Amino acid sequence: MLELIRQPWHWSTAGILIGLIVPLLLILGNKSFGISANLRHICAACFPADISFFKYDWKKEIWNIFFAVGIILGGFLAVTYLHDPEQVKVAPTLVSDLAQFGIDDYTNLVPNQLFNWHSLLTIKGFLFIVVGGFLVGFGTRYAGGCTSGHAISGLANLQLPSLVATICFMVGGFISANLIVPFLLKL
Amino acid sequence: MSKIKSGATANIAETMNTDFEVRSLDAQTVNGGEKDMSFLRNLKFMLAGIFFGLILVKSEVISWFRIQEMFRLESFHMYGVIGTAVVVGIISILLIKKLKIKTIHGDAIEFQDKRFTKGQVIGGLIFGLGWAITGACPGPLLAQLGSGVGVISITILSAVAGTWVYGKFRDKLPN
């Protein structure tokens, strides 16, 4: 049984369990699933700077910070107790394309050759680690949510604005992965 | 305390709400009572987070490689995960509404409709660009950090900075 849990899970198992987070949070306390709101709460708690968007009582949303801390702990527990020693399996076309850019380390879910402290000081690493993160933070709040808030809980409640947002997430991602990421990898 | 509160309410009234993820700002919801802020009452949400983090890692949703595969149409995996999650979510919400299921504290479960904004398009595209570069959206970034990739803490801080810059220039952006 433990062996089965250690292996990468099937998409249907993951999809069902992630989908159940939506009713779980509603039933635990009328909360709606949306991780990126925490980025706003951190701004409100730490750097409000008299900006009206950050002037609210973030403590009333503290449940979400607890949820976010739980995700970090969950990530830790997964690699500590349920670690899968196998290499990450990736589509062969992606493997051959990435090899051209010198990325061939599949020991971790996050490519070690791109995301490490050393590469942070290179232009390429800076773009992947810092600029990428900035776009995620700016874009999600401008859109009013991320994958969990719009694509999962918004669509689950049949919200058309969330459908528009999800389509735009995907369009941005298609452009980025096929045009921008290959360019950045060349740097 | 009360001064801050009234200030915040006044500010929210001045600018149109485009962000429906801070439910305590909406007067009609029952969220955000004083008792909701206690440590013990919030521990259950940490447990839910642990559950979510475990799923994200074990299903490889936090994998940069999986995100590239999705956007290069090389694998069905991520479409399967998100698609199944949406279907399970739709059925769950239908059941909650139909059976009038209450929270464990006996409160009615409420839903809020979102309004269309230009941000869903412009912000959505910007987030999409970033998503493929970092190979992770906000939830997976947290799980990546927990899984031991320390440098992702910089990505998360940068995302906080991005949110802050949005907040700072929000009034000047098309909404």
Side-chain angles (χ1 to χ4, degrees), chain B residues 123-143:
Chain B
L125 288 170
I126 294 171
F127 165 51
L129 296 177
W131 186 10
I133 294 171
T134 58
C137 37
L141 282 175
L142 296 169

Side-chain angles (χ1 to χ4, degrees), chain A:
Chain A
M1 184 64 191
L2 199 60
E3 215 32 56
L4 197 67
I5 295 174
R6 282 207 169 107
Q7 289 166 9
W9 297 358
H10 191 259
W11 55 262
S12 59
T13 313
I16 291 169
L17 294 176
I18 293 174
L20 288 175
I21 304 268
V22 173
L24 177 69
L25 293 179
L26 287 168
I27 290 169
L28 283 180
N30 222 345
K31 308 302 184 195
S32 59
F33 187 32
I35 315 280
S36 65
N38 286 309
L39 301 170
R40 183 177 173 188
H41 303 330
I42 294 171
C43 290
C46 305
F47 328 98
D50 216 29
I51 297 166
S52 65
F53 192 62
F54 300 126
K55 278 196 280 185
Y56 60 93
D57 193 0
W58 59 274
K59 290 195 194 79
K60 287 186 175 170
E61 300 289 332
I62 200 136
W63 74 271
N64 212 346
I65 307 271
F66 273 74
F67 187 69
V69 171
I71 298 173
I72 300 176
L73 294 174
F76 171 76
L77 293 174
V79 292
T80 310
Y81 297 104
L82 300 170
H83 185 63
D84 178 24
E86 296 284 314
Q87 293 218 328
V88 183
K89 288 183 192 67
V90 177
T93 44
L94 180 61
V95 172
S96 63
D97 279 2
L98 288 177
Q100 292 173 19
F101 302 114
I103 292 170
D104 51 12
D105 180 350
Y106 291 92
T107 53
N108 198 347
L109 291 168
V110 180
N112 296 322
Q113 289 152 317
L114 276 179
F115 296 90
N116 61 64
W117 288 106
H118 199 75
S119 77
L120 182 59
L121 303 172
T122 65
I123 291 175
K124 184 161 131 180
F126 182 81
L127 290 168
F128 273 98
I129 297 164
V130 179
V131 177
F134 188 90
L135 295 175
V136 168
F138 186 93
T140 49
R141 203 72 270 121
Y142 195 0
C146 61
T147 326
S148 53
H150 275 309
I152 296 178
S153 65
L155 289 186
N157 193 26
L158 308 175
Q159 297 294 304
L160 283 177
S162 290
L163 182 62
V164 172
T166 304
I167 291 169
C168 294
F169 298 167
M170 297 308 290
V171 170
F174 281 119
I175 294 169
S176 184
N178 293 287
L179 302 173
I180 300 174
V181 170
F183 174 78
L184 296 180
L185 286 170
K186 254 184 251 165
L187 293 173

